[in-house]
Amino acid sequence: MMVVVVAMTGIGLFLAQRKVAIEAERDLLHDFRNELATLHGVQEVRHTALAERCRTLVQRPRIHAALEDNALDLLYPSAKDELRDLVQADDNPAAAETPGEDLQAKFYRFLDTRGAVISPPNIAEVGELRPGEEAQIGLHRLPEQQQIGYLLREEGARQTVDEVIALPISSTETGAVIAALVLGFKPVELSHNYAGTEIKSGIWVGGRLHSPLLSEAEQSEVGGAVGRAVALPDQSDTSFETSIGGLPHLLFYKQLNPDSLFPPAYEVALYPLADALARQHQIRSHVIIAGGLLMVIGLIASQLIASRFAAPVEKLAVRSEQDRAQRQRAEAALETTSGELQRSARFSANASHQLKTPVTVLRAGIEELLAREDFAPEVYDELSALLHQTYRITSVVDDLLLLSRMDAGRLQIQFGTVNLSELIEEWIDDLSALPDDLHLQLDTNFPPDLFVAGEKRYITLIVQNLLENARKYNVRGGKICVAAEEQ
């Protein structure tokens, strides 16, 4: 009996330690991936907004004329005016503190048909880059679609990283890619406080690590460890233990720009294990002491009550374990769901607030240009198209805000009397005014002045979505039936 209890206690101690270590590493990796997923989500929204802004700019006639006529001496002077609202002015340092800083480029360059950088005549107008930095943004071929990269720069004694976005420029005659526009932005950074831990993060690119939280020696050691890890053919594991400064650390890494023509860049997170190992040793001592005491008490007690209470105790133990496991599963599921909802709400709110101000500024600028009377008619057509796109972006931002309020439980509905019949008739009239390529038949059957309780703008949104979906996902020669009745 004594041997069995000692053996079981030892095995339980070893498994408990191992479980704590595995769960700690898994939780850290989970936090790192969640932060990285949030970063990718914000980047995707920003890249979409940038692509929407740049897609029209790179199609401007002046830029295309300079490229297609090989008048490269006119390229940058023409782009200076076309890209004025996208590029951060060097003589306006306050621009870096504005809410739209993430959508303001720090520099831009054009690439020729071979992917090499076309030298600008005036560096001050396009953002200063050193010769080595300018060579790094060139590509071995022109991209067919948007490319993401990261550029490690030396600004005096300070080292920084810029996010680089390359956009292809296609010929208006053949549709082939004839050049590319490369812009540099301040990157979206991960939070340096991962769930209250001591994780320090940075970006690894070009064989070097940029992390303001680490010393130069530590950056060199971590950069070397990441370089060796990413050079391996099998990168299924994105975390490993390493020694930095003679102390054990847990290192995570994940690529930020997969399938890009630019050199690969990785987000790196470093977690010191010294305190965790000390806590494990302390827990081990406590468990050994407590296990010894419990073993002695258990042996004495088992001899006294085993014959009388063995069966009821076994039943109680089984039932207790089942209840505890069920409770733990329920708590884990609730915690996961709550965390996902909170992250989704934060992402929607942050993204919408980040986009609201630059879209408003862009719309005001376009409206001022439309008010002028010295442009050619085709310029007013392009400005009107841009203004229409700003209203589309505003609609997307409003939808994001609505979703974030719903997810956060802060949506307030002011109930009132709403004429549902009137709303349906208005949207039916709007649909009838649009081109109908499917030749749909519309049947209606609802009484006039059918009132419901609710808020008009949300009920309007529901009616709009239902009717638009019925039209969008119908078949040629199909039918849309709209019916309502009072109950």
Side-chain angles (χ1 to χ4, degrees), residues 18 41 84 118 215 260 264 276 281 294 309 320 369 372 406:
R18 184 61 181 164
R84 187 184 303 275
I118 301 175
S215 65
S260 174
H281 289 307
L294 289 175
F309 299 101
S320 176
L369 292 176
R372 295 174 56 178
M406 292 175 63

Side-chain angles (χ1 to χ4, degrees), residues 16 36 62 64 133 142 259 370 416:
L36 201 60
R62 294 174 62 187
H64 272 269
E133 296 171 347
L142 288 178
D259 302 325
L370 283 171

Side-chain angles (χ1 to χ4, degrees), residues 270-454:
L270 192 67
Y271 177 74
L273 294 177
D275 292 341
L277 292 176
R279 287 194 296 270
Q280 286 186 10
H281 289 307
Q282 185 179 16
I283 293 173
R284 181 187 304 167
S285 301
H286 293 168
V287 170
I288 291 175
I289 295 174
L293 293 175
L294 289 175
M295 181 179 64
V296 174
I297 295 174
L299 288 173
I300 297 174
S302 63
Q303 296 298 325
L304 297 176
I305 62 175
S307 58
R308 298 181 57 186
F309 299 101
V313 168
E314 288 179 358
K315 285 186 179 180
L316 182 61
V318 171
R319 186 175 302 170
S320 176
E321 182 64 22
Q322 292 175 347
D323 293 342
R324 185 179 66 84
Q326 185 177 3
R327 176 172 57 83
Q328 289 180 344
R329 288 194 296 270
E331 290 176 351
L334 181 61
E335 183 178 359
T336 301
T337 302
S338 176
E340 292 295 334
L341 288 176
Q342 291 176 3
R343 282 190 291 273
S344 175
R346 286 198 303 270
F347 167 72
S348 298
N350 291 340
S352 56
H353 285 298
Q354 285 287 331
L355 290 173
K356 208 170 187 67
T357 299
V359 171
T360 303
V361 173
L362 178 62
R363 183 188 303 163
I366 296 175
E367 289 176 347
E368 288 180 3
L369 292 176
L370 283 171
R372 295 174 56 178
E373 299 179 358
D374 54 347
F375 291 131
E378 58 270 16
V379 174
Y380 288 104
D381 294 338
E382 292 181 1
L383 291 173
S384 298
L386 288 175
L387 184 62
H388 176 69
Q389 293 300 323
T390 63
Y391 283 102
R392 290 183 58 191
I393 297 176
T394 301
S395 176
V396 174
V397 171
D398 291 338
D399 289 345
L400 285 175
L401 283 172
L402 176 61
L403 289 174
S404 65
R405 293 194 185 102
M406 292 175 63
D407 291 340
R410 298 196 303 269
L411 185 63
Q412 301 292 330
I413 299 180
Q414 304 295 329
F415 282 90
T417 302
V418 180
N419 192 329
L420 182 61
S421 302
E422 182 177 309
L423 291 180
I424 297 175
E425 291 175 352
E426 290 175 359
W427 278 105
I428 288 177
D429 289 340
D430 290 344
L431 287 178
S432 301
L434 297 175
D436 185 9
D437 298 333
L438 299 178
H439 305 289
L440 302 177
Q441 176 184 349
L442 179 64
D443 293 339
T444 60
N445 181 20
F446 55 88
D449 299 329
L450 181 61
F451 294 95
V452 296

